Amino acid sequence: MRDKSLKTLIVITLLSFTLKGLGQNKTSSIYHDKWIDFNKNGKKDIFEDPVQNIDARVNDLLSQMNLDEKTCQMATLYGYKRVLKDQLPTPEWKNEIWKDGIANIDEHLNSLPFNPGAKSEYSFPFSKHADAINQVQKWFVEQTRLGIPVDFTNEGIHGLNHDRATPLPSPINIGSTWNKTMVRTAGNIVGREAKALGYTNVYAPILDVSRDPRWGRVVETYGEDPFLIAELGKQMTLGIQENGVASTLKHFAVYSSPKGGRDGNARTDPHVAPRELHELFLYPFRRVIQEAHPLGVMSSYNDWNGMPVTGSSYFLTELLRKQYGFTGYVVSDSEAVEFLFTKHHVAKDAEDGVRLAVEAGLNVRTNFTLPETYILPLRNLVSTGKVSMETINSRVADVLRVKFKLGLFDQPYVDDVKASDKKVHTQADDDFALQLNKESMVLLKNQPYNNGNEPILPLDKNKIKSILVTGPLATQTNYQLSRYGPSNNPVTSVLDGIKNEVGGKVKISYAKGCDIIDATWPESEIIPTPLTIQEQKDIDEAVAQAKLVDVVIAVVGEDEKRVGESMSRSGLDLPGRQRQLLQALYATGKPIVMVMVNGQPLTINWENKYLTAILEAWFPGAQGGKAIAQTLFGENNPGGKLPITFPKSIGQIELNFPFKKGSQADQPSSGPNGYGKTRVNGPLYPFGYGLSYTSFEFKNLKINPSQSFNQGEISIVVDVTNTGKVTGDEVVQLYISDLQSSVTTYESVLRGFEKVSLTPNETKTIEFKIKPEDLAIYDKDMNFVVEPGMFKVKIGNSSEDIKLTGDLEIKL
């Protein structure tokens, strides 16, 4: 009996080892020469065959999927310490809903400093992260029934949102460069680093058109003009996707014009007319989708004309897919689906919100909740017949199609993990980031001091003996590593940048002067309060030091806690006691150079009138302090241009370019309505504005043909010459005015720009190619057409400073 039992035990043990071995062999045997047996059935299915066309592969895989697997391809799993508790796969994953797969995993193991609990040992070195992502991907490929790979997503609007990736300046800085070539390179860096780290989808660029400067996310946009945004957004998208990584556009649509500049918990309720919807807010999305073919679009959580976008088939299906030809997948902004019930109240409950979103055209839901909070209601909707399997199949097919286009079914892993350490944040990347920072500097004012002949900037290290650096942003650095970008990089403050730039040639002193805000801010914007004893003491200390130096550099503005998502403002003056500091410094009689660090246009009327020079630096990247210092001392000649209008008062809002004919006219000075001396008109600084340390001349405008029958391209040529003494950059800007049309059109529209670098006395010829679409308008029946008539062609270096004009006629 004992012998029989022993034999049985031996057999069972041997069988156990055999089964374990078979399991291991089965897993390892799915990898074949040039194909992977994802469904582990021992044969090459159509979806596993790289030579088959993508539609055939999608249809074959879809036919093998059950409802559980399909619905799992319609939800996001937020990464480590957002929702996911684990850094790497665990045995418990077999009991989680993603045992049947998942559409994407967002921000996994990227170690954000804004979420200390999310710090991961796998974020750095870069090769360690790539290996960790491979391990997660391997679990989905090998441990789920069909082995559908995961799309690993991450943010990337000013550099990849990852530990020690290359830090780029904020999008409003990027918009200020007006440099299409550099934006393409910036996108290429983001895409290359994403690919090397294992991310396959980057949430960038942001194509929102900023029309209200009070909105906190102005800093995350390229500006206010749809043409500028489209041109730069196209280059960013192309740069990202040329690395085999998806670009997902944000935020579709009409997200950036919240009523009253409100956001956060408020329903944004944009009051945008249908024609402006298409002319302004949809224009960048349409062009980038049609010209750069992004693989992703993020649906926004606002509504338009009573239609919540994420629950609107008009936006997600009619516009995106039918009119624009989008073939990627739509992912929701976080909580956009839930808002259909909780904020917009167009759904009777949470499950009904899921139904509305899916039927409208949403492919993947994203929120900071477990994916089953979406997947289970979705399955119930199908089982009760409220959502058809045909709809599910269509939504899932879009997701699978992107995964096939990304090559995830041919090579789901980072193929050379060790090489990642050499592909992310190289010295060349740092050099480029510094140059991008420098090209984003916008010189707003530069006047002589004490009746001198030369403007005060650039400062001469050989003539100035002492400088006071003051202001609350002189030593602050949190804005340089703001949300949605790289983290944990060394940063250079403005004070340190200036010290490093002058070396021992100039004595540098420092006094903070004041904090960014006062204790009662933002209430102090509407109810002035007296300075506290400490506030007066800080200002007095700065003033005392100012009296002892030759020049004062005041670094003022906003920081990362004052600007950004859910941080819209009710006023646009310098916050806190900063203006009082500047006024006290001005009273010393010393020249004041103001450096502005800010994320939105500010109403700096007093500063513009009285201070000697103003440099707009926005939210630069980690090397911002160095870029600012090199600009102040002339190593960099500022060539940036404003991508957004600066109003004089919040009472003027909205005040943007482009604007409709007659909308910015002055009030009458006489006549039957009396005297209209009741308001301030005009911008403080117009769209496209920016000074230089040199001067430029425009000449020889040629339009060929000057008469056209709306066929082919029109060539517009102009010569630009550097007439100054130093090398500099100029942005040649082309504007077009439709002189008479069937509907009211804009005073003028931007239809071309080119940044050119010129040495003294150098001339270059710039050519623009105007397509018929560039002259088209939405007519009275909302048809997009080119109407015959006369057009005025304008060449200038801002929307208001027009140097040359010419006539163009479109004939029937």
Side-chain angles (χ1 to χ4, degrees):
M1 194 71 181
R2 286 181 60 189
D3 291 342
K4 188 174 181 180
S5 299
L6 182 60
K7 289 180 181 179
T8 303
L9 180 61
I10 292 172
V11 170
I12 292 174
T13 302
L14 289 173
L15 180 60
S16 174
F17 281 125
T18 302
L19 289 173
K20 288 181 180 178
L22 285 173
Q24 291 171 353
N25 290 335
K26 184 177 181 181
T27 298
S28 61
S29 67
I30 70 172
Y31 300 101
H32 301 278
D33 183 28
K34 297 182 180 179
W35 71 282
I36 300 172
D37 187 10
F38 289 98
N39 63 5
K40 308 159 191 71
N41 66 354
K43 66 176 184 178
K44 185 192 293 184
D45 291 85
I46 292 174
F47 86 90
E48 297 165 342
D49 188 352
V51 303
Q52 299 288 334
N53 68 64
I54 287 178
D55 285 341
R57 299 178 78 179
V58 169
N59 292 335
D60 180 56
L61 176 55
L62 198 60
S63 70
Q64 298 186 39
M65 298 172 69
N66 59 40
L67 179 61
D68 288 355
E69 290 160 337
K70 290 175 181 177
T71 51
C72 278
Q73 292 299 314
M74 297 176 67
T76 292
L77 172 61
Y78 261 112
Y80 177 59
K81 289 298 183 180
R82 281 76 169 176
V83 170
L84 190 57
K85 297 178 181 179
D86 310 306
Q87 299 191 69
L88 297 177
T90 68
E92 287 73 27
W93 281 24
K94 278 291 188 178
N95 301 318
E96 300 288 354
I97 200 162
W98 54 86
K99 68 182 184 299
D100 295 311
I102 202 72
N104 52 37
I105 300 179
D106 192 37
E107 294 193 50
H108 191 46
L109 308 177
N110 60 350
S111 286
L112 280 185
F114 308 98
N115 183 358
K119 184 176 181 181
S120 170
E121 61 185 294
Y122 296 102
S123 63
F124 187 84
F126 304 125
S127 55
K128 191 173 184 179
H129 183 270
D131 181 68
I133 291 294
N134 277 354
Q135 292 183 55
V136 176
Q137 186 74 283
K138 188 175 183 180
W139 187 91
F140 282 93
V141 170
E142 296 182 358
Q143 300 301 320
T144 63
R145 187 178 76 93
L146 293 178
I148 300 173
V150 171
D151 185 15
F152 288 96
T153 58
N154 199 1
E155 303 284 350
I157 60 173
H158 57 109
L160 189 68
N161 187 30
H162 186 89
D163 182 9
R164 282 166 269 197
T166 301
L168 303 177
S170 70
I172 198 69
N173 286 77
I174 294 173
S176 298
T177 69
W178 292 58
N179 191 324
K180 289 173 281 191
T181 301
M182 290 199 78
V183 175
R184 177 69 170 264
T185 302
N188 184 278
I189 290 173
V190 173
R192 166 173 39 88
E193 295 188 344
K195 185 79 170 180
L197 286 161
Y199 301 111
T200 50
N201 192 327
V202 177
Y203 291 159
I206 287 180
L207 299 184
D208 296 317
V209 182
S210 291
R211 304 296 283 184
D212 192 327
R214 294 170 296 181
W215 185 50
R217 302 191 81 172
V218 170
V219 68
E220 298 176 11
T221 73
Y222 294 145
E224 71 185 3
D225 179 76
F227 183 86
L228 175 66
I229 294 166
E231 289 288 301
L232 300 185
K234 173 183 175 180
Q235 297 305 319
M236 181 65 73
T237 300
L238 291 171
I240 290 171
Q241 294 203 158
E242 64 192 2
N243 292 276
V245 173
S247 167
T248 292
L249 312 180
K250 305 191 331 180
H251 305 86
F252 187 79
V254 215
Y255 173 61
S256 53
S257 185
K259 184 179 180 181
R262 294 187 288 267
D263 61 359
N265 291 330
R267 173 174 158 257
T268 54
D269 194 22
H271 284 196
V272 174
R275 185 168 278 104
E276 291 178 340
L277 169 72
H278 293 276
E279 292 170 337
L280 298 177
F281 297 94
L282 294 177
Y283 178 93
F285 287 96
R286 176 178 61 81
R287 278 201 51 207
V288 173
I289 288 169
Q290 293 177 345
E291 297 174 24
H293 311 291
L295 293 177
V297 164
M298 179 181 289
S299 69
S300 55
Y301 48 67
N302 58 280
D303 63 316
W304 175 79
N305 196 28
M307 292 188 293
V309 171
T310 297
S312 168
S313 59
Y314 174 69
F315 281 98
L316 302 191
T317 300
E318 175 63 30
L319 289 177
L320 264 187
R321 299 198 183 273
K322 295 181 180 179
Q323 294 190 29
Y324 301 168
F326 177 66
T327 59
Y329 76 77
V330 181
V331 59
S332 74
D333 202 347
S334 296
E335 210 170 346
V337 173
E338 289 72 12
F339 281 163
L340 297 177
F341 168 56
T342 62
K343 181 175 286 190
H344 300 295
H345 303 287
V346 296
K348 63 181 180 181
D349 53 31
E351 184 176 290
D352 193 43
V354 173
R355 177 189 64 80
L356 284 173
V358 171
E359 291 186 340
L362 183 72
N363 298 103
V364 176
R365 192 279 317 236
T366 297
N367 196 9
F368 290 96
T369 58
L370 287 164
E372 51 258 43
T373 60
Y374 180 78
I375 293 171
L376 295 180
L378 183 55
R379 290 174 183 173
N380 188 58
L381 287 165
V382 176
S383 65
T384 56
K386 294 178 181 178
V387 171
S388 70
M389 186 58 73
E390 181 182 8
T391 298
I392 297 295
N393 287 342
S394 177
R395 303 297 177 262
V396 175
D398 294 330
V399 178
L400 297 178
R401 190 177 300 110
V402 169
K403 292 186 176 186
F404 278 110
K405 286 183 177 180
L406 293 175
L408 290 175
F409 285 90
D410 304 320
Q411 173 51 283
Y413 309 115
V414 179
D415 56 359
D416 188 351
V417 169
K418 291 184 179 180
S420 298
D421 291 325
K422 298 180 180 179
K423 293 180 179 179
V424 182
H425 202 158
T426 66
Q427 183 58 54
D429 295 335
D430 250 356
D431 294 342
F432 170 84
L434 176 60
Q435 183 61 28
L436 192 65
N437 273 289
K438 292 194 290 187
E439 293 209 15
S440 73
M441 299 289 117
V442 185
L443 185 61
L444 299 179
K445 183 180 181 182
N446 190 22
Q447 293 192 337
Y449 172 66
N450 264 356
N451 300 317
N453 296 321
E454 295 293 327
I456 190 171
L457 295 179
L459 299 171
D460 191 336
K461 288 179 279 190
N462 297 314
K463 294 181 179 180
I464 296 174
K465 296 180 180 180
S466 58
I467 294 174
L468 169 66
V469 180
T470 186
L473 274 300
T475 57
Q476 181 62 264
T477 59
N478 67 2
Y479 59 87
Q480 293 178 305
L481 297 175
S482 55
R483 181 73 173 97
Y484 298 126
S487 58
N488 302 321
N489 283 300
V491 296
T492 303
S493 70
V494 178
L495 176 61
D496 287 340
I498 291 172
K499 287 181 176 179
N500 295 336
E501 180 67 21
V502 302
K505 292 184 177 181
V506 182
K507 179 182 177 182
I508 303 296
S509 57
Y510 165 73
K512 186 176 183 179
C514 67
D515 293 325
I516 295 173
I517 59 172
D518 61 274
T520 62
W521 191 85
E523 187 183 46
S524 58
E525 291 194 321
I526 59 174
I527 303 177
T529 56
L531 273 65
T532 66
I533 295 175
Q534 184 60 49
E535 287 171 340
Q536 188 64 61
K537 181 180 178 182
D538 291 341
I539 290 177
D540 290 344
E541 181 183 347
V543 167
Q545 293 198 42
K547 294 176 179 178
L548 304 176
V549 300
D550 298 325
V551 176
V552 176
I553 298 176
V555 190
V556 296
E558 305 164 304
D559 69 346
E560 211 268 337
K561 295 181 179 179
R562 254 50 67 172
V563 176
E565 189 170 5
S566 297
M567 286 187 279
S568 60
R569 288 189 58 186
S570 52
L572 290 174
D573 287 346
L574 288 170
R577 309 302 189 184
Q578 295 183 65
R579 180 164 293 166
Q580 284 108 314
L581 170 65
L582 293 170
Q583 290 171 335
L585 293 169
Y586 173 75
T588 66
K590 295 300 174 78
I592 312 295
V593 176
M594 183 173 84
V595 175
M596 283 217 301
V597 171
N598 52 300
Q600 57 210 132
L602 300 180
T603 47
I604 51 170
N605 299 284
W606 184 91
E607 295 81 357
N608 177 68
K609 184 173 182 178
Y610 293 106
L611 302 186
T612 314
I614 302 174
L615 178 67
E616 174 61 88
W618 299 115
F619 271 20
Q623 300 182 79
K626 184 175 183 179
I628 290 168
Q630 290 186 350
T631 304
L632 293 174
F633 290 92
E635 186 173 333
N636 173 56
N637 185 352
K641 302 286 185 178
L642 291 181
I644 191 167
T645 301
F646 274 54
K648 296 173 182 175
S649 164
I650 58 173
Q652 295 176 285
I653 297 172
E654 293 179 354
L655 177 67
N656 308 101
F657 181 90
F659 53 86
K660 291 293 180 71
K661 289 184 174 74
S663 64
Q664 302 303 319
D666 285 330
Q667 295 174 291
S669 58
S670 63
N673 294 318
Y675 294 89
K677 297 180 179 179
T678 59
R679 65 180 288 116
V680 175
N681 284 356
L684 181 61
Y685 308 112
F687 173 79
Y689 173 84
L691 304 176
S692 172
Y693 294 155
T694 188
S695 56
F696 300 92
E697 181 183 31
F698 297 83
K699 55 188 177 182
N700 301 329
L701 173 63
K702 297 176 182 177
I703 304 171
N704 185 32
S706 59
Q707 294 181 329
S708 173
F709 290 91
N710 191 25
Q711 296 175 352
E713 294 181 329
I714 297 167
S715 173
I716 298 175
V717 176
V718 64
D719 292 337
V720 56
T721 303
N722 183 343
T723 56
K725 300 178 181 179
V726 295
T727 298
D729 296 341
E730 178 62 298
V731 179
V732 184
Q733 301 169 36
L734 167 65
Y735 297 92
I736 294 179
S737 294
D738 189 344
L739 299 184
Q740 189 269 323
S741 52
S742 62
V743 296
T744 302
T745 58
Y746 296 97
E747 182 70 30
S748 65
V749 291
L750 180 69
R751 284 299 177 261
F753 61 90
E754 200 66 42
K755 193 166 194 176
V756 57
S757 183
L758 298 168
T759 58
N761 300 315
E762 182 182 8
T763 298
K764 286 185 179 179
T765 300
I766 305 299
E767 182 179 20
F768 299 101
K769 294 286 189 179
I770 296 299
K771 304 182 294 294
E773 178 189 301
D774 294 321
L775 305 175
I777 63 170
Y778 288 92
D779 68 10
K780 58 185 176 62
D781 298 316
M782 288 302 292
N783 296 312
F784 193 57
V785 298
V786 179
E787 296 182 339
M790 295 298 299
F791 295 81
K792 184 69 70 175
V793 175
K794 306 175 182 180
I795 297 291
N797 59 9
S798 84
S799 58
E800 289 193 352
D801 191 3
I802 301 301
K803 306 295 186 180
L804 301 171
T805 63
D807 295 326
L808 170 64
E809 183 179 10
I810 300 298
K811 294 187 173 184
L812 285 171

